Amino acid sequence: MATINVYTESTPNPSTMKFLVNKLLINGSLDYPNKEKAQESAFASELFKFNFVEGVFFASNFVTITKTDGVDWSDIEPLLKDFVKGAVESELSVKPVEHSEDVNFEGTEVEVKIQQVLHEYVRPAVEQDGGAIAYKAFENGIVTVELRGSCSGCPSSTITLKAGIEGLLKRMVPEVEEVVAEAM
Protein backbone atom coordinates (compact mmCIF):
# COMPACT_ATOMS: atom_id res chain seq x y z
CA MET A 1 0.00 0.00 0.00
CA ALA A 2 1.29 3.44 -0.93
CA THR A 3 1.86 5.95 1.83
CA ILE A 4 -1.03 8.39 2.16
CA ASN A 5 0.07 12.00 2.43
CA VAL A 6 -2.26 14.73 3.64
CA TYR A 7 -1.61 18.41 3.28
CA THR A 8 -3.83 21.40 3.87
CA GLU A 9 -4.64 24.55 1.97
CA SER A 10 -6.56 27.52 3.23
CA THR A 11 -9.58 28.60 1.19
CA PRO A 12 -11.09 32.04 0.63
CA ASN A 13 -13.62 31.12 3.33
CA PRO A 14 -11.87 31.44 6.72
CA SER A 15 -14.21 28.84 8.23
CA THR A 16 -13.11 26.11 5.83
CA MET A 17 -9.88 24.22 5.23
CA LYS A 18 -9.08 21.95 2.31
CA PHE A 19 -7.43 18.60 3.20
CA LEU A 20 -5.79 17.14 0.11
CA VAL A 21 -4.61 13.52 -0.21
CA ASN A 22 -2.53 11.73 -2.82
CA LYS A 23 -5.39 9.40 -3.72
CA LEU A 24 -8.69 9.80 -5.58
CA LEU A 25 -11.51 9.88 -3.03
CA ILE A 26 -14.49 10.32 -5.34
CA ASN A 27 -15.46 10.97 -8.94
CA GLY A 28 -17.54 14.13 -8.84
CA SER A 29 -18.42 15.77 -5.54
CA LEU A 30 -20.60 15.30 -2.46
CA ASP A 31 -21.70 17.98 -0.02
CA TYR A 32 -22.75 17.21 3.55
CA PRO A 33 -23.76 20.58 5.03
CA ASN A 34 -24.90 18.96 8.29
CA LYS A 35 -24.72 15.80 10.39
CA GLU A 36 -28.15 14.54 9.30
CA LYS A 37 -27.29 14.60 5.59
CA ALA A 38 -23.98 12.80 6.28
CA GLN A 39 -25.58 9.54 7.45
CA GLU A 40 -25.00 7.85 4.07
CA SER A 41 -21.24 8.47 4.26
CA ALA A 42 -19.13 6.67 6.85
CA PHE A 43 -16.26 9.14 6.29
CA ALA A 44 -18.47 12.23 6.71
CA SER A 45 -20.35 10.72 9.68
CA GLU A 46 -17.08 10.13 11.51
CA LEU A 47 -15.95 13.71 10.83
CA PHE A 48 -19.20 15.05 12.28
CA LYS A 49 -18.38 13.27 15.56
CA PHE A 50 -15.91 16.10 16.16
CA ASN A 51 -18.02 18.79 17.87
CA PHE A 52 -16.25 21.55 15.90
CA VAL A 53 -17.11 20.16 12.43
CA GLU A 54 -20.00 22.04 10.84
CA GLY A 55 -19.80 20.88 7.21
CA VAL A 56 -18.01 18.33 5.00
CA PHE A 57 -17.50 18.45 1.23
CA PHE A 58 -15.71 15.85 -0.93
CA ALA A 59 -14.35 16.26 -4.46
CA SER A 60 -11.70 14.29 -6.36
CA ASN A 61 -8.69 14.11 -4.02
CA PHE A 62 -9.76 16.36 -1.17
CA VAL A 63 -12.21 16.91 1.65
CA THR A 64 -13.13 20.45 2.64
CA ILE A 65 -14.08 20.80 6.28
CA THR A 66 -16.06 23.72 7.70
CA LYS A 67 -15.45 24.43 11.39
CA THR A 68 -17.65 26.10 13.96
CA ASP A 69 -16.91 29.65 15.07
CA GLY A 70 -14.75 30.05 18.17
CA VAL A 71 -12.30 27.28 17.25
CA ASP A 72 -8.86 28.07 15.79
CA TRP A 73 -7.52 26.06 12.88
CA SER A 74 -4.15 25.87 14.65
CA ASP A 75 -5.82 23.84 17.42
CA ILE A 76 -7.71 21.36 15.23
CA GLU A 77 -5.76 21.09 11.95
CA PRO A 78 -3.25 18.43 13.20
CA LEU A 79 -6.07 16.32 14.63
CA LEU A 80 -8.08 16.51 11.40
CA LYS A 81 -5.01 15.74 9.25
CA ASP A 82 -4.39 12.57 11.30
CA PHE A 83 -8.05 11.60 11.04
CA VAL A 84 -8.17 12.13 7.24
CA LYS A 85 -4.95 10.11 6.80
CA GLY A 86 -6.32 7.24 8.88
CA ALA A 87 -9.71 7.32 7.16
CA VAL A 88 -8.15 7.18 3.69
CA GLU A 89 -5.69 4.43 4.73
CA SER A 90 -8.51 2.31 6.15
CA GLU A 91 -10.59 3.05 3.03
CA LEU A 92 -13.49 4.51 4.99
CA SER A 93 -16.22 5.00 2.39
CA VAL A 94 -17.05 8.48 1.17
CA LYS A 95 -20.42 7.30 -0.17
CA PRO A 96 -22.30 4.01 -0.09
CA VAL A 97 -22.29 3.11 -3.80
CA GLU A 98 -19.50 4.29 -6.04
CA HIS A 99 -20.65 5.47 -9.45
CA SER A 100 -18.84 7.73 -11.85
CA GLU A 101 -20.37 11.10 -12.48
CA ASP A 102 -21.11 11.15 -16.18
CA VAL A 103 -21.28 14.64 -17.59
CA ASN A 104 -24.75 14.96 -19.08
CA PHE A 105 -25.87 18.41 -20.16
CA GLU A 106 -29.59 18.89 -20.73
CA GLY A 107 -31.90 21.64 -21.93
CA THR A 108 -31.94 24.13 -24.77
CA GLU A 109 -28.88 24.94 -26.85
CA VAL A 110 -28.19 27.98 -24.63
CA GLU A 111 -28.59 25.93 -21.41
CA VAL A 112 -26.19 23.26 -22.70
CA LYS A 113 -23.63 25.97 -23.58
CA ILE A 114 -23.96 27.49 -20.06
CA GLN A 115 -23.47 24.07 -18.45
CA GLN A 116 -20.41 23.38 -20.64
CA VAL A 117 -18.79 26.69 -19.67
CA LEU A 118 -19.50 26.07 -15.98
CA HIS A 119 -18.09 22.54 -16.21
CA GLU A 120 -14.98 23.32 -18.29
CA TYR A 121 -13.94 26.74 -16.99
CA VAL A 122 -15.61 27.51 -13.66
CA ARG A 123 -15.71 24.11 -11.92
CA PRO A 124 -11.90 23.54 -11.87
CA ALA A 125 -11.29 27.01 -10.38
CA VAL A 126 -14.00 26.63 -7.75
CA GLU A 127 -12.69 23.14 -6.82
CA GLN A 128 -9.23 24.62 -6.28
CA ASP A 129 -10.75 26.72 -3.51
CA GLY A 130 -12.40 23.66 -1.97
CA GLY A 131 -15.88 24.15 -3.34
CA ALA A 132 -18.24 23.20 -6.12
CA ILE A 133 -20.76 24.86 -8.40
CA ALA A 134 -23.91 23.30 -9.81
CA TYR A 135 -26.12 24.63 -12.59
CA LYS A 136 -29.76 24.97 -11.50
CA ALA A 137 -31.66 26.96 -14.15
CA PHE A 138 -31.66 29.57 -16.92
CA GLU A 139 -34.70 31.82 -17.24
CA ASN A 140 -35.19 35.31 -18.70
CA GLY A 141 -31.42 35.84 -19.08
CA ILE A 142 -30.69 34.83 -15.47
CA VAL A 143 -28.52 31.82 -14.66
CA THR A 144 -29.13 30.28 -11.24
CA VAL A 145 -26.30 28.24 -9.69
CA GLU A 146 -25.74 26.53 -6.36
CA LEU A 147 -22.44 27.03 -4.52
CA ARG A 148 -21.30 24.20 -2.21
CA GLY A 149 -18.34 23.32 -0.03
CA SER A 150 -16.15 26.23 0.96
CA CYS A 151 -18.04 28.46 -1.48
CA SER A 152 -21.22 28.18 0.55
CA GLY A 153 -21.20 31.14 2.91
CA CYS A 154 -17.78 32.36 1.79
CA PRO A 155 -17.33 36.13 2.18
CA SER A 156 -15.78 36.40 -1.29
CA SER A 157 -18.34 34.18 -3.09
CA THR A 158 -20.44 37.19 -4.17
CA ILE A 159 -17.39 38.77 -5.81
CA THR A 160 -16.48 35.45 -7.43
CA LEU A 161 -20.03 35.03 -8.65
CA LYS A 162 -20.48 38.54 -10.05
CA ALA A 163 -16.99 39.50 -11.23
CA GLY A 164 -15.76 36.08 -12.29
CA ILE A 165 -18.55 33.69 -13.24
CA GLU A 166 -21.05 36.27 -14.49
CA GLY A 167 -18.40 38.06 -16.55
CA LEU A 168 -17.19 34.82 -18.16
CA LEU A 169 -20.71 33.61 -18.97
CA LYS A 170 -21.74 36.98 -20.43
CA ARG A 171 -18.71 36.89 -22.74
CA MET A 172 -19.14 33.25 -23.81
CA VAL A 173 -22.95 33.05 -23.89
CA PRO A 174 -24.42 36.40 -25.01
CA GLU A 175 -27.93 35.44 -23.85
CA VAL A 176 -26.76 35.55 -20.21
CA GLU A 177 -27.56 38.83 -18.46
CA GLU A 178 -27.01 37.89 -14.80
CA VAL A 179 -25.86 35.03 -12.54
CA VAL A 180 -27.38 34.46 -9.10
CA ALA A 181 -26.72 31.88 -6.39
CA GLU A 182 -29.56 29.86 -4.96
CA ALA A 183 -29.56 29.60 -1.18
CA MET A 184 -28.84 26.15 0.23
Side-chain angles (χ1 to χ4, degrees), residues 17 20-22 24 30-31 40-41 52 68 85 100-101 115 123 134 150-151 154 156 170 173-174 177-179 183:
M17 177 85 59
L20 295 104
V21 297
N22 57 331
L24 182 68
L30 281 173
D31 191 20
E40 71 177 36
S41 167
F52 50 77
T68 57
K85 179 178 172 60
S100 65
E101 189 177 274
Q115 292 169 68
R123 182 188 54 84
S150 71
C151 296
C154 174
S156 62
K170 282 179 169 180
V173 185
E177 296 170 19
E178 185 181 7
V179 177

Side-chain angles (χ1 to χ4, degrees), residues 142-179:
I142 300 170
V143 176
T144 304
V145 297
E146 179 181 86
L147 298 172
R148 300 183 303 221
S150 71
C151 296
S152 178
C154 174
S156 62
S157 65
T158 303
I159 296 165
T160 300
L161 190 69
K162 292 297 180 185
I165 299 166
E166 185 174 282
L168 178 69
L169 278 170
K170 282 179 169 180
R171 281 193 306 279
M172 297 184 84
V173 185
E175 294 84 354
V176 173
E177 296 170 19
E178 185 181 7
V179 177

Side-chain angles (χ1 to χ4, degrees), residues 105-117 135 138 143 169 172-176:
F105 305 125
E106 295 178 348
T108 66
E109 188 177 323
V110 173
E111 290 173 308
V112 167
K113 179 69 174 162
I114 291 166
Q115 292 169 68
Q116 288 172 329
V117 170
Y135 169 81
F138 176 69
V143 176
L169 278 170
M172 297 184 84
V173 185
E175 294 84 354
V176 173

Side-chain angles (χ1 to χ4, degrees), residues 5-166:
N5 296 313
V6 180
Y7 66 98
T8 57
E9 286 183 1
S10 58
T11 71
N13 183 345
S15 295
T16 67
M17 177 85 59
K18 190 171 163 183
F19 292 79
L20 295 104
V21 297
N22 57 331
K23 180 179 180 180
L24 182 68
L25 298 176
I26 183 175
N27 284 320
S29 65
L30 281 173
D31 191 20
Y32 298 108
N34 57 50
K35 191 178 216 167
E36 293 70 37
K37 296 227 166 103
Q39 296 308 307
E40 71 177 36
S41 167
F43 198 140
S45 292
E46 289 299 313
L47 277 167
F48 274 105
K49 288 182 180 176
F50 292 106
N51 64 355
F52 50 77
V53 171
E54 197 170 75
V56 177
F57 173 78
F58 295 98
S60 56
N61 70 327
F62 66 87
V63 55
T64 299
I65 300 171
T66 304
K67 69 171 183 66
T68 57
D69 291 335
V71 179
D72 290 329
W73 279 114
S74 58
D75 296 332
I76 61 174
E77 183 181 343
L79 178 67
L80 288 170
K81 276 176 87 168
D82 287 345
F83 173 83
V84 170
K85 179 178 172 60
V88 173
E89 286 173 345
S90 65
E91 298 185 1
L92 198 57
S93 69
V94 171
K95 61 182 181 175
V97 178
E98 287 292 322
H99 62 84
S100 65
E101 189 177 274
D102 294 327
V103 179
N104 189 17
F105 305 125
E106 295 178 348
T108 66
E109 188 177 323
V110 173
E111 290 173 308
V112 167
K113 179 69 174 162
I114 291 166
Q115 292 169 68
Q116 288 172 329
V117 170
L118 289 172
H119 183 76
E120 293 172 27
Y121 299 97
V122 178
R123 182 188 54 84
V126 171
E127 283 183 357
Q128 283 220 308
D129 285 339
I133 186 167
Y135 169 81
K136 300 305 273 181
F138 176 69
E139 196 172 317
N140 300 323
I142 300 170
V143 176
T144 304
V145 297
E146 179 181 86
L147 298 172
R148 300 183 303 221
S150 71
C151 296
S152 178
C154 174
S156 62
S157 65
T158 303
I159 296 165
T160 300
L161 190 69
K162 292 297 180 185
I165 299 166
E166 185 174 282

